[in-house]
Amino acid sequence: MASSSEAGASDLAKVTELEIDDLLNNLDLRDDELDDVVIRVDEVKEFQKEARWMAIGKVHTTRSFSVEALFGKMKAIWNLSRDPIRREAGENLFVFQMHCLGDWKKVVHQGPWMFRGWAVLIEDYDGREDPEKVSFGGLFVWAQIHGIPELYRKVHIVDELARRIGKPKEVQMTPKLF
């Protein structure tokens, strides 16, 4: 009797494994299965409202790091009115949603942001595009070029020198001292 109940449990386990394998194979959606999914225009407008004040960020490193440490550091640096909604969207890639326009402007436009000496690139994000395909425009930095003789301290020459570093946003011949 014991052997028949063991055989029954074994058969049940095999059936369950087959069912699980079959269910797992159905997790991938094919393009033809998406044809039946219809999103109404009013729903799209509502989704767009919900997706406002979003940003996407990328930590520019190949080294591993604690995601919680990143979020904790950015929370302290940004000092926003409310903590943003955040999620991982890929390798070193994160989506943030702020709760107000002022917080969004601060995060997206008041960088550059750094985490452990690595650049944190931030771009505006509409929530539609695949996060892995978002193009990051770069990082603005302030650079000084020392040792230019007075004879050659001309805007077009300094601009030419600055272009060897990257794409200059602005050239200041007499920057304000802090």
Side-chain angles (χ1 to χ4, degrees), residues 52-53 80-85 97-104:
R52 66 183 176 182
W53 304 324
L80 304 176
S81 62
R82 286 179 57 195
D83 290 348
I85 299 167
Q97 185 170 21
M98 278 40 86
H99 296 281
C100 68
L101 179 61
D103 287 350
W104 177 84

Side-chain angles (χ1 to χ4, degrees), residues 23-141:
L23 290 171
L24 290 174
N25 288 333
N26 290 329
L27 286 178
D28 290 330
L29 291 176
R30 297 181 311 268
D31 288 338
D32 62 324
E33 292 177 312
L34 296 175
D35 293 339
D36 295 337
V37 177
V38 178
I39 302 172
R40 297 186 322 267
V41 173
D42 59 324
E43 285 181 312
V44 171
K45 289 179 182 176
E46 186 62 33
F47 295 157
Q48 287 172 334
K49 284 181 189 175
E50 291 173 7
R52 66 183 176 182
W53 304 324
M54 290 181 77
I56 189 163
K58 181 173 187 152
V59 180
H60 192 66
T61 184
T62 56
R63 297 184 60 194
S64 61
F65 60 90
S66 164
V67 174
E68 287 306 314
L70 169 70
F71 292 147
K73 182 72 170 177
M74 293 296 98
K75 177 183 171 183
I77 291 171
W78 290 337
N79 193 25
L80 304 176
S81 62
R82 286 179 57 195
D83 290 348
I85 299 167
R86 64 210 192 314
R87 72 173 183 86
E88 289 185 65
E91 187 174 341
N92 297 347
L93 201 58
F94 308 91
V95 173
F96 299 95
Q97 185 170 21
M98 278 40 86
H99 296 281
C100 68
L101 179 61
D103 287 350
W104 177 84
K105 283 183 175 180
K106 183 176 197 174
V107 170
V108 174
H109 297 295
Q110 289 185 7
W113 307 113
M114 302 294 284
F115 172 68
R116 294 186 180 164
W118 305 316
V120 178
L121 306 174
I122 304 278
E123 293 290 337
D124 183 16
Y125 183 59
D126 63 6
R128 288 187 190 139
E129 190 175 357
D130 178 4
E132 296 283 345
K133 294 182 180 174
V134 171
S135 164
F136 289 88
L139 176 72
F140 287 116
V141 296

